[in-house]
Each structure stands twice: as structure tokens, then as C-alpha cells.
Amino acid sequence: MRCIAGPCPETIRVGLLDSTLREGEQTPGVSFTVEQKLEIAKALDRLGVQMIEAGHPAVAPDVYEAVKKIVSMKRDGEIKAEIIAHSRADRRDIEIAAELEPDRIAIFYGVSDIHLKYKHRKSREEALSIIAEMVSFAKEHGVKVRFTAEDATRADYSYLVEVVRTARDAGADRVSIADTVGIATPVFMRNLIERLRRDVPGVEFDVHAHNDLGMALANSLAAVEGGATIIHVTVNGLGERAGITSLHEAAIALKVFYGVEVVDLTKIVEVSRLVERYSGIAIPPNEPVIGDNAFTHKAGVHVAGILANPATYEPYPPELVGRTRDYTIDKYTGKKAVKARLEKLGVSVGEEELKKIVEVIKSRPNIRYLRDEDLLEIVEEVTGRKLRLRPPESIEALIMVKCESNTYTTSVARRLSVLPGVKEVLEVTGEKDIVLKVEVSTPIELNQVIEGIRSLRGVKETYTMLVLKKLSNS
Ligand code: COA
Ligand code: ZN
């Protein structure tokens, strides 16, 4: 186990709360349909997240509808995760959420002085009584309650302790510590959770880390090291502004650092692609775990390293998340990479040829990705051999023929062999009886050949395959 913000605790106990449907829909430009939300919820559940924050029902009718349907999927046993409805510390919001009978209502309230003064226009004392009143009001509806201390990382510590105590005493079994503007550091976050656990026992902590300074993952892990038991994540890191901790990063980091596998890692890419499509927010190629380049190597030294042992340049094998490694070829490439790629393509070249091929590649700085076709073209240039799959110059086709059951196949084959365009006739075993190799100049001629075959006595049916490319040695 490798801890990032202090000595490692004896055990790490942690799960994921996915908030793609709530925080994720707060991403500018994102609005999921109800159907899309149901599909995402099911995919998240297959992945195995412990909790799904399904939405804030008071926000809009379609949000209400989606939470309602997700709750009923849970009731019907289609989903196992705990379903959470979000709510302000407001009676009406709580009533609307409670109507849907989710497993839990999460009530949030800003607890830093800046939030209290400018947003809520409430004193610290007034806020404590609102929190107490609203948490117990929600509890009266027979649901579990999480209290979210919004902007907790900018709140006065002793006041935050009072807030957490108040929420706990009013019936919240979980408190989320929100780093609302992404301002925490890992050491601060770990200490904060450790102190809160000591000062307010009897409550479990969530961490909700925003990514404004790119610290969301590190702060979430540090919170877990401090004893938080749920990390809030979204698929692809969606959320307000720069988003929050992403599901893919949290899941792989928990595995790599602490050996904890909280979700089915091989299903992450699938969920990410689904949310990429529905959110319209593209995954950057250099995104860890899910980006196109996450397991693609380029520099010659790196590729030589991974060819000898992938661990030289990979923190974990791509197979862990259901992916495969690759490498690109361009001016940064060395001989070992080119040789390995050519071997994969079934081509072997001598040492001198290899050197020349690499020189040619390096003399073409404008190539961004050298495709296999381009590489083979260079090899042809250097070696004088013909290697490439080429489109045939004429139209070539393989026509499979099935004969009537009462005919003598060889007599049909003989008659077929004299048809114009037919180059070769093979009698074969299997579903079909005869295969013809046909070469003609135009589609009209091919059509004529097929018509000719079909009109022959004894031919029951034909099946034509056009040749697109051919490996030719001449
Ligand atoms: N608990 C209680 N009240 C809160 C609150 C909280 N945690 N956070 C903000 N408020 C209050 C503000 O003080 C303000 O009240 P005011 O009108 O008395 O000043 C109000 O909520 C927010 O202003 P506004 O958005 O203009 O109010 P609204 O009544 O028109 O709409 C929502 C309220 C919640 C329906 C609307 O803002 C919305 O759809 N929000 C999307 C969800 C959201 O904001 N989530 C934040 C998650 S961190
Ligand atoms: Zn948030």
C-alpha cells in the first residue's frame, strides 16, 4: 500500500458515490434525457458503484421524473446501489425528494463564513438550527440522511465540528465534506477528516472534491487515508466548472495505491464512452485510463523498453481496465519499434534495411501517424520488395455455387470453367459445392458472368464476394 498524504492506515475501507446524474448534469452544456439517465444508472450499477446520486428532484420536472424512475428500478431489483436524492436545506425541496422514497436524501448547506454571509445571509447560529431542523424533518420521512457541509474546507474548524455534531445529532449517519472550490491540499484534507472523526465520532464521512486546481483525485485519496469511506465521483469528471474527481481515476488509483477494487475496472471504458456520447463532452486523448493515448507509447526508447518489459513505462497493465497497449511510429521511433511492428505485419528485414527504413521515417517530419500502409510503402522503397495489400486492378470476385442435389457436381464445374471471366474452378466441401475465381473489367461484365452461372442447369444458388485488397508477391 502506498499512501499519499501520510503514513498508511491499517485498512482502507471505501466505496464510490457516482453523481454523474446530479453534479454531472451541472456541467455547462450538459442535459441528459430521462431515458439516458436510466441507461447511465444501469451502467453504473453494473460497474458496481455503491451509491448513485440520481438528482435534485425540486430542480425541474424531468429531473423529478428521472429520480422517480431510478427509485422504482431500485425497488424492482434492477439496481442494487443506494439511490440518493439531493435537496437544499428547505422544507419544500425535502418534501419533493421524500415523495419519491429514495434510500437517502442528501441535504446541503454552505458552512463557510463567505457562504453564510453572502449566499444564505444567516449567522452561524441560525445556520445550525436550520441544519438541525431540516435533517430531522427529512428523517421524519423515514429515509437515511446525509448532510453535505458545502464549502467545508473554507469553514472555521471549530464551527465545522459544531455543524457535523448538529447534523449527526439530528439523524444524519453520513456527512459529506465538500471542497467546493477545490482549494484543499492532500495533507490538509487528510488532517481535516482525521480530526473530524476524532472530534465527532458516530458518523461516516464522504469526500466531495472539486477539481479547480487539478487536486480532486489527490484530495479524495487523502480523505480516504484520513478515514472517509465514500468518494464522490462523476463519469469523465463532469461537474460544475472544472468538475469533480473522475470515476476512472478514483477507481484505478484505489486499486494501484491501496489494492482496493471498488468497481469492475474492465467496465469503466464502456461507461465513459456512454456518458461521452450523452453529455457531448469529448474525452481528451491524453485522459488517464479512458483516453485514446492512455496506453499508446511513442518515443523509441520507451517502445524499446516496453518491448523488453511493459512495466518499464506502464504503472499497471492496460488489461486491468480491459484495454491493450500500442505504439505509434514517426520521427521519434527507433529500430526496435519498427522491427517489432514489421514482424507483426509478417515482414522481416535485415539490419541494414532496418537502419535505412528508420532513416527514411525520420526524414519525413510532417508525418503525425505512420499507418501500417505507409510503413510498408517505405519498406518497399528501401528493399525493392512488393509487400502491400493493393486494390486489384481489375474486378476480382469469388463466386460460391451450390448445385441442385440431384446433379453431378463435376459436370457443372466443367461447364462453369468455360464461361468467359472464369479463371479457376474449385470443387469444395462444406455448405457450397464449387468456388469460382472470376476476373473481369467492369461491374456489367461481372453481372453477366453471374447471370450466366445462375442460368446453368444444375446451379441452385450463388454467393458472390468481391475482392477488395490482395497481398501479392509480384
Ligand atoms: N439550502 C437552502 N437554501 C439555499 C441553499 C441551501 N443549501 N443554497 C441556496 N439556497 C437559497 C439561496 O439563499 C437563494 O435563496 P433566496 O432566493 O432567498 O436568496 C436560493 O436558494 C437560490 O437562488 P435561486 O436559484 O434564484 O432560487 P430559486 O428558488 O429560483 O431556485 C433552485 C432554486 C434550487 C430550484 C434552482 O436554483 C435550481 O434549479 N438549482 C439547481 C440545483 C443547484 O443549484 N444545486 C446546487 C448543488 S451544490
Ligand atoms: Zn459539487
Side-chain angles (χ1 to χ4, degrees), residues 75 85 87-88 90-105 107 133-145 170-171:
R75 207 171 292 133
S87 170
R88 289 180 300 172
D90 173 271
R91 275 182 181 269
R92 191 68 201 120
D93 270 30
I94 293 169
E95 276 167 356
I96 294 170
E99 241 167 60
L100 304 180
E101 298 178 12
D103 296 315
R104 179 186 291 279
I105 294 181
I107 299 172
E133 191 188 328
M134 292 304 141
V135 170
S136 21
F137 180 62
K139 278 298 285 180
E140 284 165 21
H141 291 82
V143 289
K144 287 188 268 190
V145 175

mmCIF file of all heavy atoms in Angstrom, residues 75 85 87-88 90-105 107 133-145 170-171:
data_model
loop_
_atom_site.group_PDB
_atom_site.id
_atom_site.type_symbol
_atom_site.label_atom_id
_atom_site.label_comp_id
_atom_site.label_asym_id
_atom_site.label_seq_id
_atom_site.Cartn_x
_atom_site.Cartn_y
_atom_site.Cartn_z
ATOM 1 N N ARG A 75 -36.442 -0.386 -6.603
ATOM 2 C CA ARG A 75 -37.495 -1.147 -5.928
ATOM 3 C C ARG A 75 -37.753 -2.477 -6.633
ATOM 4 O O ARG A 75 -37.986 -3.494 -6.020
ATOM 5 C CB ARG A 75 -38.782 -0.305 -5.875
ATOM 6 C CG ARG A 75 -39.668 -0.659 -4.715
ATOM 7 C CD ARG A 75 -40.819 0.326 -4.574
ATOM 8 N NE ARG A 75 -40.404 1.653 -4.181
ATOM 9 C CZ ARG A 75 -40.825 2.784 -4.770
ATOM 10 N NH1 ARG A 75 -41.667 2.751 -5.794
ATOM 11 N NH2 ARG A 75 -40.402 3.958 -4.333
ATOM 12 N N ALA A 85 -31.386 11.205 -3.333
ATOM 13 C CA ALA A 85 -31.972 12.416 -3.922
ATOM 14 C C ALA A 85 -31.345 13.621 -3.224
ATOM 15 O O ALA A 85 -31.181 13.630 -2.003
ATOM 16 C CB ALA A 85 -33.480 12.421 -3.738
ATOM 17 N N SER A 87 -31.044 17.702 -2.114
ATOM 18 C CA SER A 87 -32.024 18.702 -1.672
ATOM 19 C C SER A 87 -31.319 19.860 -0.971
ATOM 20 O O SER A 87 -30.318 19.664 -0.283
ATOM 21 C CB SER A 87 -32.996 18.033 -0.696
ATOM 22 O OG SER A 87 -33.805 19.003 -0.088
ATOM 23 N N ARG A 88 -31.869 21.068 -1.126
ATOM 24 C CA ARG A 88 -31.408 22.168 -0.284
ATOM 25 C C ARG A 88 -31.946 21.952 1.133
ATOM 26 O O ARG A 88 -32.835 21.116 1.341
ATOM 27 C CB ARG A 88 -31.941 23.509 -0.822
ATOM 28 C CG ARG A 88 -31.289 23.954 -2.109
ATOM 29 C CD ARG A 88 -31.874 25.269 -2.574
ATOM 30 N NE ARG A 88 -33.313 25.140 -2.816
ATOM 31 C CZ ARG A 88 -34.129 26.151 -3.078
ATOM 32 N NH1 ARG A 88 -33.665 27.379 -3.126
ATOM 33 N NH2 ARG A 88 -35.407 25.947 -3.296
ATOM 34 N N ASP A 90 -34.272 22.942 2.796
ATOM 35 C CA ASP A 90 -35.504 23.681 2.519
ATOM 36 C C ASP A 90 -36.662 22.680 2.592
ATOM 37 O O ASP A 90 -36.588 21.600 1.985
ATOM 38 C CB ASP A 90 -35.370 24.275 1.105
ATOM 39 C CG ASP A 90 -36.631 24.929 0.609
ATOM 40 O OD1 ASP A 90 -37.466 24.215 0.000
ATOM 41 O OD2 ASP A 90 -36.774 26.138 0.817
ATOM 42 N N ARG A 91 -37.701 23.047 3.345
ATOM 43 C CA ARG A 91 -38.817 22.108 3.577
ATOM 44 C C ARG A 91 -39.418 21.573 2.286
ATOM 45 O O ARG A 91 -39.630 20.369 2.125
ATOM 46 C CB ARG A 91 -39.923 22.795 4.382
ATOM 47 C CG ARG A 91 -39.673 22.730 5.827
ATOM 48 C CD ARG A 91 -40.762 23.342 6.671
ATOM 49 N NE ARG A 91 -40.313 23.207 8.043
ATOM 50 C CZ ARG A 91 -40.604 22.169 8.814
ATOM 51 N NH1 ARG A 91 -41.398 21.216 8.385
ATOM 52 N NH2 ARG A 91 -40.115 22.092 10.038
ATOM 53 N N ARG A 92 -39.683 22.509 1.366
ATOM 54 C CA ARG A 92 -40.357 22.112 0.130
ATOM 55 C C ARG A 92 -39.477 21.157 -0.691
ATOM 56 O O ARG A 92 -39.950 20.140 -1.197
ATOM 57 C CB ARG A 92 -40.697 23.387 -0.665
ATOM 58 C CG ARG A 92 -41.615 23.194 -1.823
ATOM 59 C CD ARG A 92 -43.050 22.812 -1.397
ATOM 60 N NE ARG A 92 -43.715 22.173 -2.535
ATOM 61 C CZ ARG A 92 -44.197 20.941 -2.552
ATOM 62 N NH1 ARG A 92 -44.138 20.177 -1.487
ATOM 63 N NH2 ARG A 92 -44.777 20.456 -3.628
ATOM 64 N N ASP A 93 -38.176 21.494 -0.797
ATOM 65 C CA ASP A 93 -37.230 20.617 -1.510
ATOM 66 C C ASP A 93 -37.238 19.212 -0.899
ATOM 67 O O ASP A 93 -37.286 18.205 -1.609
ATOM 68 C CB ASP A 93 -35.786 21.155 -1.373
ATOM 69 C CG ASP A 93 -35.398 22.113 -2.487
ATOM 70 O OD1 ASP A 93 -36.296 22.804 -3.002
ATOM 71 O OD2 ASP A 93 -34.194 22.182 -2.831
ATOM 72 N N ILE A 94 -37.213 19.186 0.434
ATOM 73 C CA ILE A 94 -37.144 17.885 1.129
ATOM 74 C C ILE A 94 -38.439 17.101 0.897
ATOM 75 O O ILE A 94 -38.411 15.895 0.615
ATOM 76 C CB ILE A 94 -36.876 18.084 2.643
ATOM 77 C CG1 ILE A 94 -35.463 18.648 2.828
ATOM 78 C CG2 ILE A 94 -37.050 16.777 3.419
ATOM 79 C CD1 ILE A 94 -35.154 19.145 4.233
ATOM 80 N N GLU A 95 -39.574 17.799 0.959
ATOM 81 C CA GLU A 95 -40.860 17.112 0.736
ATOM 82 C C GLU A 95 -40.912 16.504 -0.664
ATOM 83 O O GLU A 95 -41.346 15.365 -0.847
ATOM 84 C CB GLU A 95 -42.019 18.105 0.896
ATOM 85 C CG GLU A 95 -42.437 18.275 2.340
ATOM 86 C CD GLU A 95 -43.360 19.480 2.538
ATOM 87 O OE1 GLU A 95 -43.622 20.226 1.552
ATOM 88 O OE2 GLU A 95 -43.804 19.666 3.674
ATOM 89 N N ILE A 96 -40.450 17.288 -1.644
ATOM 90 C CA ILE A 96 -40.482 16.799 -3.037
ATOM 91 C C ILE A 96 -39.578 15.569 -3.182
ATOM 92 O O ILE A 96 -39.952 14.573 -3.800
ATOM 93 C CB ILE A 96 -40.061 17.924 -4.018
ATOM 94 C CG1 ILE A 96 -41.115 19.040 -4.003
ATOM 95 C CG2 ILE A 96 -39.881 17.385 -5.433
ATOM 96 C CD1 ILE A 96 -40.714 20.310 -4.743
ATOM 97 N N ALA A 97 -38.402 15.635 -2.557
ATOM 98 C CA ALA A 97 -37.483 14.483 -2.627
ATOM 99 C C ALA A 97 -38.074 13.281 -1.901
ATOM 100 O O ALA A 97 -38.020 12.148 -2.401
ATOM 101 C CB ALA A 97 -36.127 14.866 -2.036
ATOM 102 N N ALA A 98 -38.684 13.536 -0.709
ATOM 103 C CA ALA A 98 -39.184 12.434 0.118
ATOM 104 C C ALA A 98 -40.354 11.705 -0.547
ATOM 105 O O ALA A 98 -40.500 10.486 -0.394
ATOM 106 C CB ALA A 98 -39.601 12.959 1.486
ATOM 107 N N GLU A 99 -41.157 12.458 -1.300
ATOM 108 C CA GLU A 99 -42.283 11.878 -2.059
ATOM 109 C C GLU A 99 -41.840 10.664 -2.896
ATOM 110 O O GLU A 99 -42.588 9.730 -3.090
ATOM 111 C CB GLU A 99 -42.706 12.934 -3.086
ATOM 112 C CG GLU A 99 -44.115 13.465 -2.981
ATOM 113 C CD GLU A 99 -44.215 14.709 -3.859
ATOM 114 O OE1 GLU A 99 -43.977 14.610 -5.096
ATOM 115 O OE2 GLU A 99 -44.499 15.775 -3.286
ATOM 116 N N LEU A 100 -40.621 10.725 -3.391
ATOM 117 C CA LEU A 100 -40.132 9.679 -4.303
ATOM 118 C C LEU A 100 -39.574 8.471 -3.570
ATOM 119 O O LEU A 100 -39.232 7.470 -4.182
ATOM 120 C CB LEU A 100 -39.056 10.261 -5.236
ATOM 121 C CG LEU A 100 -39.506 11.470 -6.048
ATOM 122 C CD1 LEU A 100 -38.378 11.979 -6.928
ATOM 123 C CD2 LEU A 100 -40.701 11.086 -6.917
ATOM 124 N N GLU A 101 -39.474 8.592 -2.250
ATOM 125 C CA GLU A 101 -38.971 7.499 -1.403
ATOM 126 C C GLU A 101 -37.617 6.938 -1.852
ATOM 127 O O GLU A 101 -37.472 5.742 -2.093
ATOM 128 C CB GLU A 101 -40.015 6.381 -1.311
ATOM 129 C CG GLU A 101 -41.308 6.861 -0.678
ATOM 130 C CD GLU A 101 -42.382 5.767 -0.623
ATOM 131 O OE1 GLU A 101 -42.038 4.597 -0.866
ATOM 132 O OE2 GLU A 101 -43.528 6.116 -0.341
ATOM 133 N N PRO A 102 -36.622 7.816 -1.977
ATOM 134 C CA PRO A 102 -35.277 7.307 -2.272
ATOM 135 C C PRO A 102 -34.703 6.640 -1.019
ATOM 136 O O PRO A 102 -35.307 6.737 0.051
ATOM 137 C CB PRO A 102 -34.496 8.593 -2.592
ATOM 138 C CG PRO A 102 -35.181 9.645 -1.779
ATOM 139 C CD PRO A 102 -36.639 9.260 -1.719
ATOM 140 N N ASP A 103 -33.563 5.955 -1.164
ATOM 141 C CA ASP A 103 -32.949 5.342 0.028
ATOM 142 C C ASP A 103 -32.466 6.422 0.977
ATOM 143 O O ASP A 103 -32.461 6.249 2.184
ATOM 144 C CB ASP A 103 -31.739 4.490 -0.386
ATOM 145 C CG ASP A 103 -32.159 3.321 -1.263
ATOM 146 O OD1 ASP A 103 -33.152 2.658 -0.911
ATOM 147 O OD2 ASP A 103 -31.509 3.099 -2.307
ATOM 148 N N ARG A 104 -32.007 7.540 0.371
ATOM 149 C CA ARG A 104 -31.381 8.581 1.191
ATOM 150 C C ARG A 104 -31.640 9.948 0.570
ATOM 151 O O ARG A 104 -31.725 10.072 -0.654
ATOM 152 C CB ARG A 104 -29.867 8.297 1.214
ATOM 153 C CG ARG A 104 -29.031 9.284 1.999
ATOM 154 C CD ARG A 104 -27.541 8.974 1.829
ATOM 155 N NE ARG A 104 -27.111 7.740 2.462
ATOM 156 C CZ ARG A 104 -26.835 7.597 3.757
ATOM 157 N NH1 ARG A 104 -26.934 8.630 4.565
ATOM 158 N NH2 ARG A 104 -26.446 6.431 4.240
ATOM 159 N N ILE A 105 -31.783 10.948 1.463
ATOM 160 C CA ILE A 105 -31.820 12.333 0.982
ATOM 161 C C ILE A 105 -30.526 12.999 1.432
ATOM 162 O O ILE A 105 -30.092 12.825 2.581
ATOM 163 C CB ILE A 105 -33.047 13.085 1.534
ATOM 164 C CG1 ILE A 105 -34.335 12.479 0.967
ATOM 165 C CG2 ILE A 105 -32.981 14.581 1.180
ATOM 166 C CD1 ILE A 105 -35.628 13.144 1.421
ATOM 167 N N ILE A 107 -28.848 16.506 2.090
ATOM 168 C CA ILE A 107 -29.185 17.922 2.284
ATOM 169 C C ILE A 107 -27.897 18.729 2.363
ATOM 170 O O ILE A 107 -27.008 18.392 3.153
ATOM 171 C CB ILE A 107 -29.966 18.105 3.602
ATOM 172 C CG1 ILE A 107 -31.276 17.310 3.535
ATOM 173 C CG2 ILE A 107 -30.229 19.589 3.884
ATOM 174 C CD1 ILE A 107 -32.013 17.261 4.853
ATOM 175 N N GLU A 133 -32.976 21.404 12.060
ATOM 176 C CA GLU A 133 -34.391 21.295 11.724
ATOM 177 C C GLU A 133 -34.596 20.504 10.422
ATOM 178 O O GLU A 133 -35.456 19.625 10.341
ATOM 179 C CB GLU A 133 -34.952 22.717 11.572
ATOM 180 C CG GLU A 133 -36.452 22.776 11.493
ATOM 181 C CD GLU A 133 -36.929 24.196 11.150
ATOM 182 O OE1 GLU A 133 -36.250 25.168 11.565
ATOM 183 O OE2 GLU A 133 -37.945 24.304 10.438
ATOM 184 N N MET A 134 -33.791 20.808 9.427
ATOM 185 C CA MET A 134 -34.004 20.178 8.119
ATOM 186 C C MET A 134 -33.576 18.704 8.107
ATOM 187 O O MET A 134 -34.239 17.874 7.497
ATOM 188 C CB MET A 134 -33.253 20.955 7.022
ATOM 189 C CG MET A 134 -33.831 22.328 6.783
ATOM 190 S SD MET A 134 -35.588 22.238 6.372
ATOM 191 C CE MET A 134 -36.210 23.623 7.246
ATOM 192 N N VAL A 135 -32.486 18.396 8.817
ATOM 193 C CA VAL A 135 -32.071 16.985 8.876
ATOM 194 C C VAL A 135 -33.160 16.180 9.596
ATOM 195 O O VAL A 135 -33.572 15.111 9.118
ATOM 196 C CB VAL A 135 -30.687 16.825 9.551
ATOM 197 C CG1 VAL A 135 -30.385 15.352 9.830
ATOM 198 C CG2 VAL A 135 -29.580 17.439 8.676
ATOM 199 N N SER A 136 -33.672 16.705 10.721
ATOM 200 C CA SER A 136 -34.710 15.898 11.392
ATOM 201 C C SER A 136 -36.001 15.868 10.592
ATOM 202 O O SER A 136 -36.682 14.847 10.580
ATOM 203 C CB SER A 136 -34.976 16.304 12.841
ATOM 204 O OG SER A 136 -34.561 17.590 13.110
ATOM 205 N N PHE A 137 -36.308 16.947 9.882
ATOM 206 C CA PHE A 137 -37.509 16.934 9.033
ATOM 207 C C PHE A 137 -37.390 15.818 7.969
ATOM 208 O O PHE A 137 -38.332 15.055 7.749
ATOM 209 C CB PHE A 137 -37.678 18.308 8.357
ATOM 210 C CG PHE A 137 -38.886 18.398 7.476
ATOM 211 C CD1 PHE A 137 -40.170 18.234 7.998
ATOM 212 C CD2 PHE A 137 -38.751 18.646 6.108
ATOM 213 C CE1 PHE A 137 -41.302 18.316 7.172
ATOM 214 C CE2 PHE A 137 -39.877 18.728 5.279
ATOM 215 C CZ PHE A 137 -41.154 18.560 5.813
ATOM 216 N N ALA A 138 -36.222 15.706 7.362
ATOM 217 C CA ALA A 138 -36.028 14.649 6.359
ATOM 218 C C ALA A 138 -36.115 13.273 7.005
ATOM 219 O O ALA A 138 -36.765 12.356 6.479
ATOM 220 C CB ALA A 138 -34.675 14.825 5.666
ATOM 221 N N LYS A 139 -35.503 13.132 8.193
ATOM 222 C CA LYS A 139 -35.529 11.834 8.886
ATOM 223 C C LYS A 139 -36.956 11.385 9.185
ATOM 224 O O LYS A 139 -37.270 10.193 9.129
ATOM 225 C CB LYS A 139 -34.766 11.932 10.223
ATOM 226 C CG LYS A 139 -33.272 11.787 10.113
ATOM 227 C CD LYS A 139 -32.793 10.468 9.589
ATOM 228 C CE LYS A 139 -32.892 9.322 10.575
ATOM 229 N NZ LYS A 139 -32.377 8.065 9.945
ATOM 230 N N GLU A 140 -37.828 12.376 9.483
ATOM 231 C CA GLU A 140 -39.232 12.037 9.784
ATOM 232 C C GLU A 140 -39.895 11.312 8.618
ATOM 233 O O GLU A 140 -40.911 10.649 8.775
ATOM 234 C CB GLU A 140 -40.041 13.308 10.071
ATOM 235 C CG GLU A 140 -39.795 13.898 11.441
ATOM 236 C CD GLU A 140 -40.322 15.339 11.539
ATOM 237 O OE1 GLU A 140 -41.201 15.718 10.725
ATOM 238 O OE2 GLU A 140 -39.821 16.085 12.411
ATOM 239 N N HIS A 141 -39.334 11.474 7.419
ATOM 240 C CA HIS A 141 -39.929 10.816 6.246
ATOM 241 C C HIS A 141 -39.420 9.389 6.068
ATOM 242 O O HIS A 141 -39.684 8.750 5.051
ATOM 243 C CB HIS A 141 -39.648 11.636 4.978
ATOM 244 C CG HIS A 141 -40.382 12.943 4.962
ATOM 245 N ND1 HIS A 141 -39.930 14.059 5.629
ATOM 246 C CD2 HIS A 141 -41.554 13.306 4.390
ATOM 247 C CE1 HIS A 141 -40.773 15.060 5.449
ATOM 248 N NE2 HIS A 141 -41.778 14.630 4.709
ATOM 249 N N GLY A 142 -38.651 8.916 7.044
ATOM 250 C CA GLY A 142 -38.229 7.507 7.017
ATOM 251 C C GLY A 142 -37.117 7.196 6.038
ATOM 252 O O GLY A 142 -36.999 6.055 5.578
ATOM 253 N N VAL A 143 -36.322 8.190 5.698
ATOM 254 C CA VAL A 143 -35.185 7.921 4.795
ATOM 255 C C VAL A 143 -33.881 8.109 5.568
ATOM 256 O O VAL A 143 -33.864 8.715 6.634
ATOM 257 C CB VAL A 143 -35.166 8.913 3.596
ATOM 258 C CG1 VAL A 143 -36.277 8.645 2.634
ATOM 259 C CG2 VAL A 143 -35.176 10.358 4.100
ATOM 260 N N LYS A 144 -32.792 7.570 4.991
ATOM 261 C CA LYS A 144 -31.476 7.870 5.556
ATOM 262 C C LYS A 144 -31.106 9.286 5.111
ATOM 263 O O LYS A 144 -31.553 9.735 4.052
ATOM 264 C CB LYS A 144 -30.428 6.890 5.015
ATOM 265 C CG LYS A 144 -30.568 5.497 5.620
ATOM 266 C CD LYS A 144 -29.418 4.610 5.227
ATOM 267 C CE LYS A 144 -29.751 3.837 3.981
ATOM 268 N NZ LYS A 144 -28.819 2.792 3.628
ATOM 269 N N VAL A 145 -30.316 9.973 5.921
ATOM 270 C CA VAL A 145 -29.954 11.350 5.572
ATOM 271 C C VAL A 145 -28.442 11.525 5.590
ATOM 272 O O VAL A 145 -27.761 11.074 6.510
ATOM 273 C CB VAL A 145 -30.608 12.364 6.541
ATOM 274 C CG1 VAL A 145 -30.122 13.784 6.237
ATOM 275 C CG2 VAL A 145 -32.134 12.294 6.431
ATOM 276 N N ALA A 170 -29.057 15.286 14.729
ATOM 277 C CA ALA A 170 -30.401 15.396 14.143
ATOM 278 C C ALA A 170 -30.750 14.147 13.328
ATOM 279 O O ALA A 170 -31.874 14.005 12.859
ATOM 280 C CB ALA A 170 -30.466 16.634 13.255
ATOM 281 N N GLY A 171 -29.786 13.244 13.151
ATOM 282 C CA GLY A 171 -30.113 11.975 12.499
ATOM 283 C C GLY A 171 -29.347 11.650 11.229
ATOM 284 O O GLY A 171 -29.621 10.637 10.588
#
